[in-house]
């Protein structure tokens, strides 16, 4: 069945360290993946996306890695800052599920220690 | 602020009452989506519009739920005879059309519904 899950529900890191948030998916037909950041009381905010024909994509302080062999996605945040504290969701889309439907994982709460 | 607005931000109602939420998407976006998010979970897809046409509906969207986008701009989501299980954050998102493929969805701040 379709599911997008996360290895860890919470992650605590020191300010300035790098953070790695992981995500596993089960739908081999998934061809588009997104990471969203959600702060308390706000809607999800787009961070970075990657298509299935890529295995790595970099943005500003963030990198997404995609391993289709093991159906694994990760978000790396460099030099973590207090403003990075939030819940992070991976989401996926596949043409089989419907062209526009996003399936979200449960989320990982990232906490930054000073 | 993504440019997607939702109203109201919070709604408290008694079980059995009807509620209606409004979403105003980014003006040039012709795709609009509704999701529901319960505490500690990721958003769950409810329905999707392209212009005024409702093209996808989730099995989560029971017959008590109805969504409209009459002029292809703003959208409303109505829940009739609310139940306590309807308590959740209702999120709206919009995206531009880019061919037939997927395009990035921009989310609004959500409407938090509490059914007593």
């Amino acid at each position: 069945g379709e599911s997008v899950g996360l290895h860890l529900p919470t992650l605590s890191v020191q300010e300035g360290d790098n953070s790695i948030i992981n995500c596993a998916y089960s739908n081999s037909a998934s061809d588009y993946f997104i990471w969203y950041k959600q702060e308390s009381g706000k809607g999800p905010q787009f961070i970075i996306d990657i298509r299935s024909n890529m295995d790595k994509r970099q943005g500003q302080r963030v990198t997404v890695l995609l391993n289709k062999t093991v159906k694994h996605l990760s978000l790396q945040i460099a030099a973590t800052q207090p403003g990075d504290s939030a819940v992070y969701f991976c989401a996926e889309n596949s043409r089989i599920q419907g062209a526009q439907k996003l399936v979200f994982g449960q989320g990982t709460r990232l906490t930054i220690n000073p | 602020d993504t440019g997607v607005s939702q109203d109201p931000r919070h709604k408290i109602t008694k079980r059995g009452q009807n509620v209606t939420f409004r979403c105003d998407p980014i003006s040039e976006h012709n795709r609009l989506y509704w999701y529901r998010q319960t505490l500690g979970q990721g958003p769950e897809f409810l329905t999707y519009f392209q212009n005024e046409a409702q093209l996808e509906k989730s099995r989560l969207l029971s017959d008590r739920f109805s969504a409209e986008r009459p002029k292809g701009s703003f959208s409303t989501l109505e829940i009739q005879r609310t139940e306590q299980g309807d308590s959740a954050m209702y999120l709206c998102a919009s995206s531009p059309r880019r061919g037939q493929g997927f395009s990035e969805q921009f989310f609004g701040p959500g409407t938090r519904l509490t059914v007593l």
Side-chain angles (χ1 to χ4, degrees), chain A residues 32 34 36 44-47 49 91-93 98-104, chain B residues 2 4 26 29 31-35 43 45 47-48 56 92-96 98 102-108:
Chain A
Y32 184 82
I34 307 175
Y36 281 94
Q45 176 188 356
F46 174 90
I47 302 173
D49 59 0
E92 57 95 7
N93 172 267
Q100 299 300 319
K101 175 182 174 181
L102 275 175
V103 176
F104 283 80
Chain B
T2 62
V4 179
I26 296 171
H29 287 182
R31 291 175 168 167
L32 186 147
Y33 316 79
W34 286 99
Y35 289 82
F45 173 81
T47 190
Y48 147 64
E56 288 183 55
C92 175
S94 71
S95 72
R98 290 180 185 145
F102 186 83
S103 53
E104 177 190 337
Q105 297 179 14
F106 296 84
F107 282 83

Side-chain angles (χ1 to χ4, degrees), chain B residues 16 21 30 39 50 54 60 69 89 93 95 101 104 108:
Chain B
F21 309 140
N30 60 354
L39 198 62
Q50 184 161 298
Q54 189 173 17
L60 294 174
R69 196 182 182 199
M89 176 78 84
S95 72
E104 177 190 337

Side-chain angles (χ1 to χ4, degrees), chain A residues 44-113:
Chain A
Q45 176 188 356
F46 174 90
I47 302 173
I48 192 167
D49 59 0
I50 189 168
R51 297 195 180 274
S52 59
N53 61 353
M54 303 171 68
D55 53 19
K56 181 179 180 179
R57 192 167 186 216
Q58 288 185 293
Q60 186 177 11
R61 282 201 307 120
V62 295
T63 300
V64 56
L65 299 177
L66 175 63
N67 185 331
K68 293 180 288 294
T69 303
V70 295
K71 299 190 186 70
H72 183 268
L73 190 70
S74 69
L75 176 70
Q76 300 178 4
I77 305 174
T80 313
Q81 303 169 358
D84 294 329
S85 293
V87 178
Y88 289 80
F89 293 98
C90 63
E92 57 95 7
N93 172 267
S94 79
R95 295 186 185 91
I96 291 178
Q97 291 171 345
Q100 299 300 319
K101 175 182 174 181
L102 275 175
V103 176
F104 283 80
Q106 184 177 10
T108 293
R109 180 174 298 282
L110 178 63
T111 303
I112 313 303
N113 299 319

